Amino acid sequence: MIRIVTPNKPDVLAAISAAHEIDEATAVSYRKQYPALDFLCGYRSACVWQGKAIQYLEDAGVGWGNFGTLTSAMLDGNANTASHKVYKFSDRLLRQYGRMQEVVREYDRIHRVSLESGASVRIGMIADYEPTADAVRTLWEQFGPIDIVWNINPNGSPSPEAIAAGQELGCEVMKWDELREYLRTA
């Protein structure tokens, strides 16, 4: 646990975890050990957050994410409501899209979406500038079968090899405009 003091902003009590994956039990343990916790930081760049841990922290008024998220949150003065900056915008975009019955966050980068049509779609997010075939296969291997690999980096595009790898696995690799159209017509 560290206390971060920033001029003209509230102090931040942050726990720094070296875990490779943050599950609900880990989040509960940190909160129990540090009741005044403002932010739980998964320090490793490859840290994965389970959806139940995210929901627990958000319900408890504890921010969560990587070191970059912590840094931004302490400077903005919103550490106890911050969420992982890599996935925050994409998560909000999915939740605000009007054709959803339900959006369930299984992991920081995996969402199961139930559409008004009754269809259910499992979406995995990759933030790479230009996702490779290996990135698509790794996402599939780590999190199980997905229907869509969403390249959430607004500046890049999936490589042709990534698209082909997705087709081999039985999923589609796309950007937001394609995903929005897919969700509209599914």
Side-chain angles (χ1 to χ4, degrees), residues 19 25 44 121 145 147 166:
R44 296 180 187 279
V121 181
D147 300 301

Side-chain angles (χ1 to χ4, degrees), residues 141-163:
E141 289 167 9
Q142 188 173 7
F143 297 101
I146 49 182
D147 300 301
I148 301 205
V149 174
W150 178 16
N151 177 206
I152 62 173
N153 187 316
N155 300 313
S157 294
S159 68
E161 295 81 12
I163 294 169

Side-chain angles (χ1 to χ4, degrees), residues 82-101:
S83 62
H84 201 304
K85 63 192 282 179
V86 171
Y87 303 105
K88 182 179 181 173
F89 179 75
S90 301
D91 175 67
R92 189 175 72 215
L93 201 57
L94 272 179
R95 292 177 189 285
Q96 290 177 345
Y97 187 67
R99 299 177 186 270
M100 312 289 188
Q101 282 186 344

Side-chain angles (χ1 to χ4, degrees), residues 17 24 28 35 37 43 51 62 65 90-91 101 133 153 156 163 170 173 182:
S17 174
E24 185 177 19
V28 168
L37 183 66
Y43 184 73
V62 176
S90 301
D91 175 67
Q101 282 186 344
N153 187 316
I163 294 169
V173 180
Y182 178 95

Side-chain angles (χ1 to χ4, degrees), residues 97-157:
Y97 187 67
R99 299 177 186 270
M100 312 289 188
Q101 282 186 344
E102 182 180 36
V103 177
V104 176
R105 191 172 206 164
E106 295 178 7
Y107 292 90
D108 51 4
R109 64 205 74 188
I110 305 291
H111 289 66
R112 181 172 304 280
V113 175
S114 299
L115 302 171
E116 289 177 348
S117 68
S120 179
V121 181
R122 195 159 185 254
I123 301 169
M125 299 176 197
I126 295 180
D128 299 351
Y129 176 77
E130 185 175 279
T132 63
D134 187 51
V136 171
R137 289 186 189 105
T138 299
L139 186 71
W140 183 283
E141 289 167 9
Q142 188 173 7
F143 297 101
I146 49 182
D147 300 301
I148 301 205
V149 174
W150 178 16
N151 177 206
I152 62 173
N153 187 316
N155 300 313
S157 294

